[in-house]
Amino acid sequence: MSEKHKDGYGLSKRAKARSVKAPVLPYQPPTPKTYNPNIGLIACGGITEQHLKAYRKAGYKVVALCDVFKERAEKRRSEFYPDASVTTDYHSILARDDIEVVDIAAHPDERVVLIQDALEAGKHVLTQKPFVLDLDVGRHLTDLADEKGLKLAVNQNGRWAPHFRYITEAIRNGLIGDVAGVHLSVHWNHGWIEGSVFEEIKHLILYDFGIHWFDALCCFMGGQKAMRVFASFTCSKAQTVKPALLAQALVEYEGAQATLTFDGDTRFGPQDRTYVIGSKGTIESIGPDLNEQTITLTTAKGYCSPKLDGGWFPDGFHGTMAELLCAIEEDREPFNSARNNLKSLALCFAAAASAESHKAIVPGAICQMPGE
């Protein structure tokens, strides 16, 4: 073998590169200058522990909690906001003039009427992900928000996971050039859903869980439109829950490709990896889970591993609300706007449709989430 080939295959390029100082990028949640309105939370299920933990740490004012099961709202009050009022009727929150922002954390099939009523009541809205089950319904809600002069944002909290946010900013700042490949793989145990309502979601992995990774891909690719999606899903032989826990997708762009791999029945040795290849460099993030990640950026200048503070949980939940508040204060569209999120949903819906049909699907050609 020639010396050239030995260098190319036998030695790590990083071993010959030099360590450089990591670029400082704005990966942490933004901070409103002065705007800190009263917030009402509608639906107080399990995930809202992360919402309220983040809001309390940020100093946000949650003054009302609502859930059809009063004890759930009371539990959240005792845990995080002891002075908040509790109700089982969300209309009482929407009727309060002192509440400007509502966080709606209900399930998708219950959420549309809540969002619409909140917008009609003049409230800015942060809604749980996945945003809607129908793209046309999503467009109606975004149009209604625009008509009312209100902000409608989606709790795509992965956008403010420190590693995803740093990668997004590195790409946006041109540090790795034009993106040619994005490879996202997550291997974990999703068996915790057994006996829960989540077990009834057919496309649990590609949709309810995978939307975070489709959304991250859209952020990494900027405004570039995906041309086709091909996906598959299946049950592992060992799983005991109903929905398929194994899924993968290939997304084709002009001049770029992306792969997403989900192994939801990984019982030992979990791993979460993101690898983005550009014309001027690569950026990788890897770790055992979505909170513990190590980033490496490699360019012609050398390589670096920035030390990032925080984690997806709960900082991602801080980021979604913080961005909405900043957008209201600055009168601009939130980075996590519902209109922007429709692109991620179109990709997700196409993947689910492809997994069912075994055919490549053009994002946007499928307006409704298949099988839900």
Side-chain angles (χ1 to χ4, degrees), residues 170-208:
I171 295 168
R172 191 177 70 82
N173 283 273
L175 298 185
I176 65 169
D178 296 325
V179 174
V182 178
H183 304 289
L184 302 159
S185 63
V186 55
H187 317 276
W188 81 111
N189 187 352
H190 211 64
W192 64 268
I193 64 161
E194 190 162 15
S196 74
V197 294
F198 293 99
E199 197 171 4
E200 303 306 318
I201 301 175
K202 181 179 182 181
H203 288 289
L204 177 77
I205 300 302
L206 285 172
Y207 171 61
D208 185 76

Side-chain angles (χ1 to χ4, degrees), residues 36-153:
N36 191 9
N38 287 339
I39 297 169
L41 174 63
I42 299 175
C44 297
I47 195 62
T48 59
E49 177 183 357
Q50 300 299 328
H51 294 225
L52 296 175
K53 186 182 295 184
Y55 299 167
R56 184 176 63 182
K57 183 179 178 181
Y60 298 153
K61 299 183 294 183
V62 177
V63 299
L65 303 166
C66 174
D67 197 281
V68 291
F69 299 103
K70 189 175 181 181
E71 60 272 19
R72 292 203 298 209
E74 290 175 334
K75 182 175 187 291
R76 292 290 180 245
R77 176 172 65 181
S78 64
E79 289 172 329
F80 298 102
Y81 286 93
D83 296 328
S85 65
V86 164
T87 181
T88 58
D89 181 7
Y90 74 92
H91 292 99
S92 66
I93 289 181
L94 301 185
R96 287 180 54 170
D97 292 335
D98 65 319
I99 293 177
E100 297 179 35
V101 175
V102 291
D103 179 1
I104 298 176
H107 290 289
D109 55 347
E110 306 164 345
R111 197 181 301 145
V112 173
V113 67
L114 299 176
I115 298 171
Q116 182 160 314
D117 286 353
L119 294 172
E120 292 286 1
K123 309 302 182 187
H124 301 287
V125 176
L126 177 67
T127 175
Q128 185 59 282
K129 65 80 201 168
F131 173 33
V132 287
L133 294 166
D134 187 313
L135 298 181
D136 288 335
V137 171
R139 282 187 279 266
H140 164 71
L141 292 173
T142 59
D143 289 343
L144 178 60
D146 290 345
E147 177 188 322
K148 297 290 184 180
L150 297 165
K151 310 301 180 187
L152 174 58

